Amino acid sequence: MRSNIKTETVEVPLVLKWISLASLLVYVAAFSIGLGPMTWLLLSEIFPGGIRGRAIALTSSMNWGINLLISLTFLTVTDLIGLPWVCFIYTVMSLASLAFVIMFIPETKGCSLEQISMELAKQKYAKNTTCWISQRREKLAPIELPKREHCEQFY
């Protein structure tokens, strides 16, 4: 059965089209120099060398999987609770992740990968060693580092 609902098309002014394109470009540029590369930079630094490849592959897969899940459910959730609530929920999640980064992610600027591994091992950030069972701890984080200038930015 065919519905008798008539829809009218509204022509969007050319100026608004260009403004929306410019806004999208500014957003992508700001994200690219802001929080965008943080995930990939952090992942390449925090995992010990012995498991770095597998750990980055797993976390990257999780990242893309969550992105897919959000993309697939966005319209359904928007229909159910409305766009303002969806935007509010995403804003709260973004602020929570920003707070997590500020509070728990250490600054690694100016540190070598070996220094980062040693400092993380000393501070016991990774207490659970289930993914390291098949490897010796010395391979993941050497007992002593070569004599270098101490990384002062690391907390």
PDB file of all heavy atoms in Angstrom, residues 122-146:
ATOM      1  N   LYS A 122      58.270   0.077  36.754  1.00  0.00           N
ATOM      2  CA  LYS A 122      58.523   0.480  38.141  1.00  0.00           C
ATOM      3  C   LYS A 122      57.247   0.917  38.828  1.00  0.00           C
ATOM      4  O   LYS A 122      57.017   0.615  39.986  1.00  0.00           O
ATOM      5  CB  LYS A 122      59.528   1.635  38.191  1.00  0.00           C
ATOM      6  CG  LYS A 122      60.944   1.257  37.939  1.00  0.00           C
ATOM      7  CD  LYS A 122      61.795   2.507  38.036  1.00  0.00           C
ATOM      8  CE  LYS A 122      63.178   2.284  37.500  1.00  0.00           C
ATOM      9  NZ  LYS A 122      63.941   3.535  37.454  1.00  0.00           N
ATOM     10  N   GLN A 123      56.422   1.656  38.121  1.00  0.00           N
ATOM     11  CA  GLN A 123      55.217   2.201  38.731  1.00  0.00           C
ATOM     12  C   GLN A 123      54.080   1.194  38.755  1.00  0.00           C
ATOM     13  O   GLN A 123      52.996   1.488  39.233  1.00  0.00           O
ATOM     14  CB  GLN A 123      54.789   3.466  37.996  1.00  0.00           C
ATOM     15  CG  GLN A 123      55.797   4.579  38.153  1.00  0.00           C
ATOM     16  CD  GLN A 123      55.418   5.810  37.355  1.00  0.00           C
ATOM     17  OE1 GLN A 123      54.314   5.894  36.839  1.00  0.00           O
ATOM     18  NE2 GLN A 123      56.313   6.759  37.265  1.00  0.00           N
ATOM     19  N   LYS A 124      54.327   0.018  38.201  1.00  0.00           N
ATOM     20  CA  LYS A 124      53.355  -1.077  38.221  1.00  0.00           C
ATOM     21  C   LYS A 124      52.021  -0.668  37.620  1.00  0.00           C
ATOM     22  O   LYS A 124      50.964  -0.942  38.167  1.00  0.00           O
ATOM     23  CB  LYS A 124      53.180  -1.613  39.635  1.00  0.00           C
ATOM     24  CG  LYS A 124      54.465  -2.204  40.147  1.00  0.00           C
ATOM     25  CD  LYS A 124      54.283  -2.824  41.484  1.00  0.00           C
ATOM     26  CE  LYS A 124      55.640  -3.358  41.880  1.00  0.00           C
ATOM     27  NZ  LYS A 124      55.783  -3.751  43.190  1.00  0.00           N
ATOM     28  N   TYR A 125      52.085   0.024  36.484  1.00  0.00           N
ATOM     29  CA  TYR A 125      50.857   0.340  35.769  1.00  0.00           C
ATOM     30  C   TYR A 125      50.193  -0.948  35.300  1.00  0.00           C
ATOM     31  O   TYR A 125      48.994  -1.060  35.285  1.00  0.00           O
ATOM     32  CB  TYR A 125      51.131   1.231  34.557  1.00  0.00           C
ATOM     33  CG  TYR A 125      51.239   2.677  34.901  1.00  0.00           C
ATOM     34  CD1 TYR A 125      52.475   3.287  35.037  1.00  0.00           C
ATOM     35  CD2 TYR A 125      50.105   3.441  35.091  1.00  0.00           C
ATOM     36  CE1 TYR A 125      52.576   4.614  35.356  1.00  0.00           C
ATOM     37  CE2 TYR A 125      50.188   4.770  35.416  1.00  0.00           C
ATOM     38  CZ  TYR A 125      51.430   5.358  35.543  1.00  0.00           C
ATOM     39  OH  TYR A 125      51.512   6.681  35.857  1.00  0.00           O
ATOM     40  N   ALA A 126      50.990  -1.922  34.885  1.00  0.00           N
ATOM     41  CA  ALA A 126      50.452  -3.186  34.388  1.00  0.00           C
ATOM     42  C   ALA A 126      50.743  -4.271  35.416  1.00  0.00           C
ATOM     43  O   ALA A 126      51.768  -4.918  35.362  1.00  0.00           O
ATOM     44  CB  ALA A 126      51.073  -3.532  33.041  1.00  0.00           C
ATOM     45  N   LYS A 127      49.852  -4.440  36.363  1.00  0.00           N
ATOM     46  CA  LYS A 127      50.056  -5.445  37.411  1.00  0.00           C
ATOM     47  C   LYS A 127      49.732  -6.838  36.905  1.00  0.00           C
ATOM     48  O   LYS A 127      50.277  -7.814  37.364  1.00  0.00           O
ATOM     49  CB  LYS A 127      49.187  -5.116  38.623  1.00  0.00           C
ATOM     50  CG  LYS A 127      49.627  -3.853  39.322  1.00  0.00           C
ATOM     51  CD  LYS A 127      48.748  -3.564  40.510  1.00  0.00           C
ATOM     52  CE  LYS A 127      49.169  -2.245  41.150  1.00  0.00           C
ATOM     53  NZ  LYS A 127      48.313  -1.850  42.238  1.00  0.00           N
ATOM     54  N   ASN A 128      48.816  -6.954  35.965  1.00  0.00           N
ATOM     55  CA  ASN A 128      48.410  -8.242  35.441  1.00  0.00           C
ATOM     56  C   ASN A 128      49.339  -8.626  34.298  1.00  0.00           C
ATOM     57  O   ASN A 128      49.446  -7.907  33.319  1.00  0.00           O
ATOM     58  CB  ASN A 128      46.964  -8.169  34.952  1.00  0.00           C
ATOM     59  CG  ASN A 128      46.445  -9.509  34.526  1.00  0.00           C
ATOM     60  OD1 ASN A 128      47.167 -10.497  34.555  1.00  0.00           O
ATOM     61  ND2 ASN A 128      45.190  -9.544  34.139  1.00  0.00           N
ATOM     62  N   THR A 129      49.990  -9.764  34.418  1.00  0.00           N
ATOM     63  CA  THR A 129      50.968 -10.165  33.400  1.00  0.00           C
ATOM     64  C   THR A 129      50.475 -11.339  32.564  1.00  0.00           C
ATOM     65  O   THR A 129      51.276 -12.096  32.049  1.00  0.00           O
ATOM     66  CB  THR A 129      52.302 -10.531  34.066  1.00  0.00           C
ATOM     67  OG1 THR A 129      52.061 -11.593  34.985  1.00  0.00           O
ATOM     68  CG2 THR A 129      52.917  -9.347  34.768  1.00  0.00           C
ATOM     69  N   THR A 130      49.178 -11.523  32.430  1.00  0.00           N
ATOM     70  CA  THR A 130      48.674 -12.686  31.702  1.00  0.00           C
ATOM     71  C   THR A 130      49.119 -12.701  30.243  1.00  0.00           C
ATOM     72  O   THR A 130      49.318 -13.765  29.675  1.00  0.00           O
ATOM     73  CB  THR A 130      47.143 -12.758  31.762  1.00  0.00           C
ATOM     74  OG1 THR A 130      46.601 -11.531  31.275  1.00  0.00           O
ATOM     75  CG2 THR A 130      46.662 -13.015  33.168  1.00  0.00           C
ATOM     76  N   CYS A 131      49.256 -11.533  29.622  1.00  0.00           N
ATOM     77  CA  CYS A 131      49.674 -11.518  28.221  1.00  0.00           C
ATOM     78  C   CYS A 131      51.179 -11.685  28.085  1.00  0.00           C
ATOM     79  O   CYS A 131      51.686 -11.808  26.987  1.00  0.00           O
ATOM     80  CB  CYS A 131      49.209 -10.239  27.535  1.00  0.00           C
ATOM     81  SG  CYS A 131      49.871  -8.756  28.273  1.00  0.00           S
ATOM     82  N   TRP A 132      51.905 -11.683  29.200  1.00  0.00           N
ATOM     83  CA  TRP A 132      53.359 -11.801  29.150  1.00  0.00           C
ATOM     84  C   TRP A 132      53.826 -13.166  29.644  1.00  0.00           C
ATOM     85  O   TRP A 132      54.997 -13.395  29.859  1.00  0.00           O
ATOM     86  CB  TRP A 132      54.011 -10.740  30.017  1.00  0.00           C
ATOM     87  CG  TRP A 132      53.693  -9.352  29.616  1.00  0.00           C
ATOM     88  CD1 TRP A 132      53.218  -8.905  28.416  1.00  0.00           C
ATOM     89  CD2 TRP A 132      53.816  -8.188  30.423  1.00  0.00           C
ATOM     90  NE1 TRP A 132      53.038  -7.558  28.426  1.00  0.00           N
ATOM     91  CE2 TRP A 132      53.401  -7.081  29.657  1.00  0.00           C
ATOM     92  CE3 TRP A 132      54.238  -7.969  31.715  1.00  0.00           C
ATOM     93  CZ2 TRP A 132      53.400  -5.789  30.134  1.00  0.00           C
ATOM     94  CZ3 TRP A 132      54.238  -6.671  32.194  1.00  0.00           C
ATOM     95  CH2 TRP A 132      53.823  -5.604  31.398  1.00  0.00           C
ATOM     96  N   ILE A 133      52.922 -14.108  29.845  1.00  0.00           N
ATOM     97  CA  ILE A 133      53.268 -15.379  30.464  1.00  0.00           C
ATOM     98  C   ILE A 133      54.364 -16.100  29.687  1.00  0.00           C
ATOM     99  O   ILE A 133      55.280 -16.646  30.281  1.00  0.00           O
ATOM    100  CB  ILE A 133      52.013 -16.274  30.598  1.00  0.00           C
ATOM    101  CG1 ILE A 133      51.112 -15.694  31.676  1.00  0.00           C
ATOM    102  CG2 ILE A 133      52.389 -17.705  30.913  1.00  0.00           C
ATOM    103  CD1 ILE A 133      49.784 -16.405  31.807  1.00  0.00           C
ATOM    104  N   SER A 134      54.290 -16.081  28.377  1.00  0.00           N
ATOM    105  CA  SER A 134      55.236 -16.862  27.588  1.00  0.00           C
ATOM    106  C   SER A 134      56.583 -16.164  27.419  1.00  0.00           C
ATOM    107  O   SER A 134      57.477 -16.716  26.814  1.00  0.00           O
ATOM    108  CB  SER A 134      54.640 -17.148  26.209  1.00  0.00           C
ATOM    109  OG  SER A 134      54.448 -15.937  25.512  1.00  0.00           O
ATOM    110  N   GLN A 135      56.738 -14.951  27.957  1.00  0.00           N
ATOM    111  CA  GLN A 135      57.989 -14.224  27.771  1.00  0.00           C
ATOM    112  C   GLN A 135      58.580 -13.846  29.116  1.00  0.00           C
ATOM    113  O   GLN A 135      57.860 -13.597  30.075  1.00  0.00           O
ATOM    114  CB  GLN A 135      57.738 -12.972  26.946  1.00  0.00           C
ATOM    115  CG  GLN A 135      57.182 -13.311  25.588  1.00  0.00           C
ATOM    116  CD  GLN A 135      56.981 -12.064  24.764  1.00  0.00           C
ATOM    117  OE1 GLN A 135      57.565 -11.041  25.044  1.00  0.00           O
ATOM    118  NE2 GLN A 135      56.160 -12.167  23.750  1.00  0.00           N
ATOM    119  N   ARG A 136      59.897 -13.787  29.157  1.00  0.00           N
ATOM    120  CA  ARG A 136      60.546 -13.378  30.396  1.00  0.00           C
ATOM    121  C   ARG A 136      60.421 -11.876  30.572  1.00  0.00           C
ATOM    122  O   ARG A 136      60.404 -11.113  29.617  1.00  0.00           O
ATOM    123  CB  ARG A 136      62.017 -13.777  30.358  1.00  0.00           C
ATOM    124  CG  ARG A 136      62.208 -15.267  30.421  1.00  0.00           C
ATOM    125  CD  ARG A 136      63.644 -15.580  30.659  1.00  0.00           C
ATOM    126  NE  ARG A 136      64.482 -14.913  29.680  1.00  0.00           N
ATOM    127  CZ  ARG A 136      65.446 -15.485  29.018  1.00  0.00           C
ATOM    128  NH1 ARG A 136      65.709 -16.743  29.220  1.00  0.00           N
ATOM    129  NH2 ARG A 136      66.171 -14.820  28.154  1.00  0.00           N
ATOM    130  N   ARG A 137      60.348 -11.442  31.807  1.00  0.00           N
ATOM    131  CA  ARG A 137      60.208 -10.023  32.122  1.00  0.00           C
ATOM    132  C   ARG A 137      61.397  -9.211  31.601  1.00  0.00           C
ATOM    133  O   ARG A 137      61.253  -8.071  31.204  1.00  0.00           O
ATOM    134  CB  ARG A 137      60.042  -9.842  33.620  1.00  0.00           C
ATOM    135  CG  ARG A 137      59.780  -8.424  34.006  1.00  0.00           C
ATOM    136  CD  ARG A 137      59.288  -8.364  35.439  1.00  0.00           C
ATOM    137  NE  ARG A 137      59.007  -7.020  35.846  1.00  0.00           N
ATOM    138  CZ  ARG A 137      57.908  -6.357  35.557  1.00  0.00           C
ATOM    139  NH1 ARG A 137      56.980  -6.922  34.846  1.00  0.00           N
ATOM    140  NH2 ARG A 137      57.727  -5.131  35.975  1.00  0.00           N
ATOM    141  N   GLU A 138      62.591  -9.803  31.603  1.00  0.00           N
ATOM    142  CA  GLU A 138      63.779  -9.065  31.146  1.00  0.00           C
ATOM    143  C   GLU A 138      63.657  -8.675  29.673  1.00  0.00           C
ATOM    144  O   GLU A 138      64.168  -7.658  29.250  1.00  0.00           O
ATOM    145  CB  GLU A 138      65.056  -9.905  31.345  1.00  0.00           C
ATOM    146  CG  GLU A 138      65.412 -10.152  32.790  1.00  0.00           C
ATOM    147  CD  GLU A 138      64.616 -11.304  33.390  1.00  0.00           C
ATOM    148  OE1 GLU A 138      64.163 -12.204  32.639  1.00  0.00           O
ATOM    149  OE2 GLU A 138      64.433 -11.301  34.611  1.00  0.00           O
ATOM    150  N   LYS A 139      62.976  -9.503  28.906  1.00  0.00           N
ATOM    151  CA  LYS A 139      62.802  -9.191  27.492  1.00  0.00           C
ATOM    152  C   LYS A 139      61.844  -8.015  27.310  1.00  0.00           C
ATOM    153  O   LYS A 139      61.984  -7.218  26.402  1.00  0.00           O
ATOM    154  CB  LYS A 139      62.271 -10.417  26.753  1.00  0.00           C
ATOM    155  CG  LYS A 139      62.135 -10.229  25.271  1.00  0.00           C
ATOM    156  CD  LYS A 139      61.667 -11.496  24.604  1.00  0.00           C
ATOM    157  CE  LYS A 139      61.452 -11.266  23.119  1.00  0.00           C
ATOM    158  NZ  LYS A 139      60.884 -12.441  22.468  1.00  0.00           N
ATOM    159  N   LEU A 140      60.852  -7.921  28.189  1.00  0.00           N
ATOM    160  CA  LEU A 140      59.864  -6.849  28.081  1.00  0.00           C
ATOM    161  C   LEU A 140      60.398  -5.538  28.638  1.00  0.00           C
ATOM    162  O   LEU A 140      60.189  -4.478  28.074  1.00  0.00           O
ATOM    163  CB  LEU A 140      58.583  -7.245  28.822  1.00  0.00           C
ATOM    164  CG  LEU A 140      57.888  -8.485  28.264  1.00  0.00           C
ATOM    165  CD1 LEU A 140      56.739  -8.875  29.172  1.00  0.00           C
ATOM    166  CD2 LEU A 140      57.379  -8.213  26.873  1.00  0.00           C
ATOM    167  N   ALA A 141      61.035  -5.589  29.776  1.00  0.00           N
ATOM    168  CA  ALA A 141      61.592  -4.384  30.398  1.00  0.00           C
ATOM    169  C   ALA A 141      62.950  -4.751  30.973  1.00  0.00           C
ATOM    170  O   ALA A 141      63.039  -5.472  31.962  1.00  0.00           O
ATOM    171  CB  ALA A 141      60.672  -3.866  31.497  1.00  0.00           C
ATOM    172  N   PRO A 142      64.027  -4.279  30.374  1.00  0.00           N
ATOM    173  CA  PRO A 142      65.357  -4.658  30.844  1.00  0.00           C
ATOM    174  C   PRO A 142      65.575  -4.204  32.290  1.00  0.00           C
ATOM    175  O   PRO A 142      64.994  -3.228  32.744  1.00  0.00           O
ATOM    176  CB  PRO A 142      66.294  -3.932  29.879  1.00  0.00           C
ATOM    177  CG  PRO A 142      65.469  -2.904  29.215  1.00  0.00           C
ATOM    178  CD  PRO A 142      64.051  -3.336  29.288  1.00  0.00           C
ATOM    179  N   ILE A 143      66.434  -4.951  32.985  1.00  0.00           N
ATOM    180  CA  ILE A 143      66.711  -4.635  34.386  1.00  0.00           C
ATOM    181  C   ILE A 143      67.393  -3.268  34.504  1.00  0.00           C
ATOM    182  O   ILE A 143      67.040  -2.464  35.341  1.00  0.00           O
ATOM    183  CB  ILE A 143      67.598  -5.733  35.016  1.00  0.00           C
ATOM    184  CG1 ILE A 143      66.896  -7.076  34.951  1.00  0.00           C
ATOM    185  CG2 ILE A 143      67.967  -5.382  36.446  1.00  0.00           C
ATOM    186  CD1 ILE A 143      65.569  -7.129  35.684  1.00  0.00           C
ATOM    187  N   GLU A 144      68.381  -3.001  33.664  1.00  0.00           N
ATOM    188  CA  GLU A 144      69.056  -1.710  33.698  1.00  0.00           C
ATOM    189  C   GLU A 144      69.060  -1.107  32.302  1.00  0.00           C
ATOM    190  O   GLU A 144      69.228  -1.799  31.315  1.00  0.00           O
ATOM    191  CB  GLU A 144      70.504  -1.877  34.164  1.00  0.00           C
ATOM    192  CG  GLU A 144      70.619  -2.176  35.632  1.00  0.00           C
ATOM    193  CD  GLU A 144      72.065  -2.154  36.070  1.00  0.00           C
ATOM    194  OE1 GLU A 144      72.886  -1.495  35.402  1.00  0.00           O
ATOM    195  OE2 GLU A 144      72.372  -2.809  37.070  1.00  0.00           O
ATOM    196  N   LEU A 145      68.900   0.194  32.283  1.00  0.00           N
ATOM    197  CA  LEU A 145      68.958   0.920  31.017  1.00  0.00           C
ATOM    198  C   LEU A 145      70.385   1.351  30.741  1.00  0.00           C
ATOM    199  O   LEU A 145      71.170   1.545  31.676  1.00  0.00           O
ATOM    200  CB  LEU A 145      68.074   2.164  31.076  1.00  0.00           C
ATOM    201  CG  LEU A 145      66.579   1.921  31.106  1.00  0.00           C
ATOM    202  CD1 LEU A 145      65.853   3.230  31.291  1.00  0.00           C
ATOM    203  CD2 LEU A 145      66.127   1.267  29.820  1.00  0.00           C
ATOM    204  N   PRO A 146      70.723   1.538  29.479  1.00  0.00           N
ATOM    205  CA  PRO A 146      72.020   2.137  29.183  1.00  0.00           C
ATOM    206  C   PRO A 146      72.084   3.522  29.813  1.00  0.00           C
ATOM    207  O   PRO A 146      71.067   4.186  29.991  1.00  0.00           O
ATOM    208  CB  PRO A 146      72.043   2.232  27.646  1.00  0.00           C
ATOM    209  CG  PRO A 146      70.905   1.399  27.167  1.00  0.00           C
ATOM    210  CD  PRO A 146      69.967   1.217  28.293  1.00  0.00           C
TER     211      PRO A 146
END
